[in-house]
Each structure stands twice: as C-alpha cells, then as structure tokens.
Amino acid sequence: MAKHLAKDAGKAAIQNLGWWKAHRFLILRRLSQLTIIALFMAGPTWGVFKGNLSSSTLFDVIPFTDPLLLLQTIAAGHLPEFTAILGALIVVAVYAIVAPRAFCAWVCPLNMVTDLAAWLRRKLNVKASYSWPKSMRYWLIPVLLIGSAISGSALWVWIDPVSALHRGLVFGMGAGWVLIVLVFLLDWLLVEHGWCGHLCPLGATYGIIGKQSIMRVTATDRNSCTKCMDCFNVCPEPQVLREPLKDGDTRIMAQDCISCGRCIDVCSEKVFEFKTRYTKQ
C-alpha cells in the first residue's frame, strides 16, 4: 500500500474502525488531563488536590512531589521536608510501575499544546527547519542539577513551561504565556516534536523512572502492517516504532515512548495494542 500523507493520518482508521476507535485514547487522555486540572482548580472547595504539579497533596493526606524538583532542591543544598521526600517516592513508585512516560501523555497539560502544534504542522505540511539530538533532554538533567548547586536554588522552577501552564490554568496566567507560546512556535515551525522529544528534562526524568514499567504498546499483529506510515506521522517519538514493526521485539521497550496510544488509534489494521511487558513474544 502507498504511504499516506501526514495530513491524512487516521482517516483510514476512521473509515475502517469508526470515529470512536480512531480517537479513543486521544479522547481519554484529554479527559484525564482536563479532569486533573479541574481537580486542582476545585482544590480549595472540594479539597481533592491542593498545590500544583510541582508539589501537592491528595485529600490533605497523600503528598506528591516532582522528582526533578526534589533533586534540584537537594543539589541546591537545601534539606527537603519528609513529606516532600515521601511525595517524590510515591510519584516515582507510581510511574515506575504503570507505563513509560505516562505523565507526559496523561497528566502534563503542555501535551495539549504540543499536540496542537503537531496537528497544525501535519495539516499545513510545515517542514521542520532544524534537527536536534534527542539526547539533549537527558543532558539537561545534570546541567540543571549542577546549575542548582552553583546558584543555590532550583533553576527549573523559573523556566519550566509545564509548571507555568498548570499554575496559569489553576491560579491565573501571567507572563507564563510567553513560555507557552514559545514552546508552541518551536514545535510548530522549528523542530518537529521539539519540546517533548528533544528538550523537556521532566519528560526525560519520567522516561528513566518508567524504563521497567509494566504497560507497553505492542505490535501484536505486525504482519498486518501495510507500511502506510500513519503511526509514524502521529507518534511524538516515531523512532520507538521501528523495532516493533520489524523482526525484533514486538513490545515498545524504549523509555522514550510516552504511552499515548495514538499509534493504536490511527492504525486501521489494528497492529498495535496495550499489553504488559510480560506478554509472550
């Protein structure tokens, strides 16, 4: 079968599987992201989530702490409170078990911005102007820790667009809009999947945490693949699809996968499914 144009990715799935099955994981992710934002917004009234994505509590009992923020705090020479350490351990435990980078696809509000930029790029056939190494995001982690140690403060707090967007949606957006617009323009016009795929150290942190996690997108019926390229066109980390569609492991074991399920949605041949890492190959 001839390759599909990027702007037409998913059309065959809609025709063959129906609109819901061609969008189910996208819709479920949006519901998850918007529900989490709503719970934070209603925090003072309902008392569900209080705080923000960097540091929060569930029902005033269970703490959650951004692991990258905790590492920067320690590097800066500050001793975190016990609840902050416990919150980071809880977050690490959850994402180490669930799925690689599940935070990026199912929680992070900035994902909606980068997905919109990617959709516009496909529809308008915008070609990326630059190509950056994907390893850059992993190198940013030690850079931030060293910078925090030198400055005596957690550097990423001041320039993190993820936290800026979440705080803006919950408490009111100020100058943080500038960061969000810059990320949008980066992904739309300059570097394909520039933020999530190349720069975000938080996503890289969750990739490392979820390296051995349980749920995996798996090419359970890769012999049905027609090489239409729809999955590659919508995947924010398309390099992770190469091995499962060839003769190697059918599971996507790469830590860069964000477990978004879009490859499952747009595949009209139903090549992909969510399975556990223990699925027999």
Side-chain angles (χ1 to χ4, degrees), residues 66-76 101 104 134-150 153-157 159 195-196 198-210 255-256:
D66 175 359
L68 183 58
L69 175 61
L70 181 72
L71 290 176
Q72 290 176 85
T73 302
I74 295 172
R101 291 181 65 189
C104 301
K134 289 185 171 291
S135 60
M136 186 184 303
R137 53 190 161 182
Y138 293 101
W139 284 108
L140 279 175
I141 297 174
V143 168
L144 287 174
L145 296 180
I146 294 170
S148 296
I150 295 172
S153 64
L155 288 185
W156 193 237
V157 172
I159 54 175
W195 176 253
C196 295
H198 299 82
L199 281 180
C200 182
L202 183 58
T205 302
Y206 280 110
I208 295 170
I209 290 171
Q255 66 189 41
D256 289 340

Side-chain angles (χ1 to χ4, degrees), residues 29 32-33 36-37 40 49 52-54 56 58 62-68 86-109 111 162 166 202-216 253-260 277-278:
R29 283 171 47 225
S32 173
Q33 292 160 336
I36 290 170
I37 292 171
F40 273 103
F49 280 112
N52 52 55
L53 287 179
S54 297
S56 62
L58 177 62
I62 304 174
F64 296 102
T65 307
D66 175 359
L68 183 58
L86 178 60
L89 291 175
I90 292 173
V91 169
V92 168
V94 169
Y95 288 107
I97 293 171
V98 179
R101 291 181 65 189
F103 172 88
C104 301
W106 296 83
V107 177
C108 178
N111 173 258
V162 176
H166 187 262
L202 183 58
T205 302
Y206 280 110
I208 295 170
I209 290 171
K211 190 172 183 179
Q212 301 300 323
S213 52
I214 294 175
M215 297 304 299
R216 300 284 162 168
M253 301 303 289
Q255 66 189 41
D256 289 340
C257 175
I258 72 169
S259 306
C260 65
R277 66 180 296 117
Y278 310 111

Side-chain angles (χ1 to χ4, degrees), residues 9-24:
K11 285 188 176 180
I14 295 174
Q15 294 172 353
N16 294 349
L17 306 177
W19 190 89
W20 163 249
K21 284 191 174 181
H23 295 87
R24 55 186 163 164

Side-chain angles (χ1 to χ4, degrees), residues 87-204:
L89 291 175
I90 292 173
V91 169
V92 168
V94 169
Y95 288 107
I97 293 171
V98 179
R101 291 181 65 189
F103 172 88
C104 301
W106 296 83
V107 177
C108 178
L110 196 61
N111 173 258
M112 293 184 282
V113 175
T114 56
D115 272 3
L116 175 61
W119 180 81
L120 276 175
R121 190 180 59 250
R122 291 196 302 272
K123 294 302 179 182
L124 300 178
N125 194 31
V126 175
K127 300 300 181 183
S129 302
Y130 302 97
S131 177
W132 291 345
K134 289 185 171 291
S135 60
M136 186 184 303
R137 53 190 161 182
Y138 293 101
W139 284 108
L140 279 175
I141 297 174
V143 168
L144 287 174
L145 296 180
I146 294 170
S148 296
I150 295 172
S151 66
S153 64
L155 288 185
W156 193 237
V157 172
W158 305 104
I159 54 175
D160 180 10
V162 176
S163 295
L165 178 57
H166 187 262
R167 286 195 302 268
L169 292 172
V170 175
F171 303 111
M173 186 68 74
W177 278 116
V178 175
L179 280 173
I180 311 309
V181 170
L182 288 176
V183 169
F184 175 79
L185 293 175
L186 169 70
D187 273 37
W188 180 27
L189 301 174
L190 299 179
V191 182
E192 188 172 358
H193 309 300
W195 176 253
C196 295
H198 299 82
L199 281 180
C200 182
L202 183 58

Side-chain angles (χ1 to χ4, degrees), residues 4 73 207 236 252:
H4 295 171
T73 302
I252 297 179

Side-chain angles (χ1 to χ4, degrees), residues 222-223 241-250:
R222 66 181 171 196
N223 290 331
L241 297 171
R242 294 192 181 103
E243 181 179 356
L245 291 176
K246 293 182 179 179
D247 297 327
D249 196 333
T250 58

